[in-house]
Amino acid sequence: MGTVPTNRPAIDLRGIEKAVRRVRKFIKKDRKRPSGKAVHDLRTGARRLESALNAFAFNKSHKDKKLLDDLVETRKSAGKVRDMDVLTGHALTLDHKEEEQDCLVKLIEYLGAERETVARKLRQTLRRSGGRLSRHLKRAFRRLQKRAEKTEKQEETDRESQAEVAAKALQLFSELGEPRQLNRANLHPYRLKVKELRYVLQMFGRANNGQLLSKLGDVKDAIGEWHDFVELSSIAGEMLDHGSSCKILAQLRSATDDRFERALSLSNQLRHQYMKQSRIRRRGNRRTGPSQLSRSVLAVVSPLRRP
């Protein structure tokens, strides 16, 4: 591959190729009891590839749509296994006295049994569609390589690819301004927007994206951890019969509230820095208008559009 001009960002083909290898490797291994790391790699790899294919408009032909459908199904199935691993890890951090030990053991045993069930379903999913997914991923990556080559003959195609990703990044940036107010009902869906933008920006090796990627990662992780504790609290509430007197349930409620406050604070800080709220006046009353992109956002996205 030729030298990448300095006035254009390089597509992170190495990162995308790594994601392809992770997914295809998991499919090939056909594990009955996959490790937590293997499941995590599968899930993040599938998510990154899904974002890359959408960013480069690999979603128009029947084969491309089928590839995306298989990726989404695989990601969601792997996500259920990963969720059980994460929830078990959180449960093991809870403080407990001797009288609460039975509650904790019961909760962990339940999570372990659920993990076995969803891991079996993941294996069934990949046995049904994994071969097709592996083949289509290999072909899609070859197509992406060709579009990213910096030869004189393909330069126009490369500019089109950069423009497609720039447009996707701008769209995702704009969506960070919605909903107008974050709360317990919409914070977790908001995390999906943050993750998607982070994956798109990761496809380019630009040093000035580092701070933004770090902030997006912090928000993503904080919201994810809060949601984990929401799920764990819900499961524990159904599994444990001590009611409001249960110390384990009380710990979970407190930990959930603390994590919500942290996730909300980080999310609002991100919005304040990268989105600015315009103001409009109607009949003498000030009302919040639509979100606008800040200069720092335009500084990140503009180089992606430059020919």
Side-chain angles (χ1 to χ4, degrees):
M1 188 176 295
T3 303
V4 179
T6 57
N7 64 334
R8 280 184 303 201
I11 298 171
D12 183 19
L13 285 174
R14 183 174 297 179
I16 297 173
E17 183 179 22
K18 184 178 180 180
V20 171
R21 285 201 308 268
R22 283 178 170 180
V23 174
R24 298 185 75 220
K25 179 181 178 181
F26 192 99
I27 294 171
K28 184 177 180 180
K29 291 286 185 180
D30 191 28
R31 301 172 175 89
K32 288 185 178 180
R33 292 181 177 81
S35 68
K37 182 181 184 306
V39 172
H40 176 64
D41 287 347
L42 172 64
R43 184 188 191 184
T44 56
R47 169 68 77 179
R48 185 166 194 176
L49 292 171
E50 186 184 337
S51 297
L53 294 173
N54 278 317
F56 287 99
F58 281 18
N59 53 13
K60 297 177 181 177
S61 72
H62 175 74
K63 286 185 177 180
D64 288 344
K65 290 178 181 178
K66 191 61 183 175
L67 169 57
L68 282 167
D69 287 344
D70 288 341
L71 271 175
V72 170
E73 184 182 23
T74 298
R75 171 178 57 77
K76 289 183 176 180
S77 190
K80 293 177 181 178
V81 183
R82 176 64 179 170
D83 288 346
M84 292 302 108
D85 290 338
V86 171
L87 295 182
T88 300
H90 289 321
L92 290 171
T93 66
L94 297 174
D95 295 329
H96 63 280
K97 297 181 180 179
E98 186 174 349
E99 61 268 24
E100 300 290 342
Q101 188 164 353
D102 288 345
C103 286
L104 189 57
V105 169
K106 185 178 180 181
L107 178 59
I108 292 172
E109 285 179 344
Y110 173 83
L111 295 172
E114 282 295 298
R115 209 253 191 202
E116 289 287 328
T117 299
V118 292
R120 183 170 62 252
K121 291 180 179 178
L122 170 60
R123 193 177 186 217
Q124 291 170 351
T125 295
L126 292 179
R127 284 192 165 185
R128 182 176 64 253
S129 60
R132 178 180 62 226
L133 175 58
S134 183
R135 291 192 304 272
H136 287 180
L137 276 179
K138 189 174 182 180
R139 292 170 188 165
F141 181 69
R142 287 174 179 169
R143 288 166 58 198
L144 185 56
Q145 278 182 309
K146 289 179 181 179
R147 291 182 67 170
E149 286 175 356
K150 305 298 189 293
T151 63
E152 194 173 304
K153 182 179 179 181
Q154 295 170 321
E155 192 161 322
E156 184 62 32
T157 301
D158 179 64
R159 284 198 294 269
E160 292 173 4
S161 296
Q162 305 291 347
E164 287 170 359
V165 177
K168 183 68 175 180
L170 281 171
Q171 174 195 337
L172 292 169
F173 265 121
S174 297
E175 290 176 359
L176 288 187
E178 298 296 334
R180 305 300 296 173
Q181 185 171 359
L182 295 173
N183 52 47
R184 293 177 189 271
N186 58 35
L187 189 58
H188 188 248
Y190 185 77
R191 179 176 184 260
L192 299 180
K193 300 178 182 181
V194 173
K195 287 178 69 174
E196 183 76 5
L197 175 59
R198 188 167 182 266
Y199 279 123
V200 169
L201 294 179
Q202 279 179 330
M203 285 190 287
F204 293 90
R206 291 192 58 81
N208 67 338
N209 283 354
Q211 184 181 21
L212 173 57
L213 287 173
S214 178
K215 289 181 180 296
L216 290 169
D218 290 343
V219 170
K220 172 185 71 71
D221 292 343
I223 298 176
E225 187 169 330
W226 162 69
H227 189 259
D228 291 340
F229 273 84
V230 170
E231 291 295 309
L232 188 57
S233 296
S234 176
I235 292 171
E238 295 176 2
M239 291 295 303
L240 307 180
D241 53 11
H242 286 184
S244 59
S245 64
C246 181
K247 299 292 194 303
I248 296 295
L249 289 176
Q251 275 193 71
L252 285 171
R253 284 193 294 268
S254 177
T256 301
D257 290 342
D258 289 345
R259 282 160 176 78
F260 171 73
E261 293 300 329
R262 180 174 184 272
L264 183 63
S265 175
L266 289 175
S267 299
N268 284 330
Q269 287 174 30
L270 176 74
R271 285 151 67 98
H272 179 75
Q273 181 170 355
Y274 291 99
M275 307 296 298
K276 54 185 180 181
Q277 309 296 326
S278 63
R279 296 281 179 177
I280 56 177
R281 287 182 178 272
R282 290 183 182 175
R283 297 179 182 178
N285 296 322
R286 273 189 109 181
R287 306 179 95 185
T288 303
S291 298
Q292 296 179 346
L293 299 177
S294 68
R295 291 183 180 180
S296 53
V297 167
L298 298 177
V300 171
V301 177
S302 293
L304 306 184
R305 308 173 68 185
R306 197 177 298 156

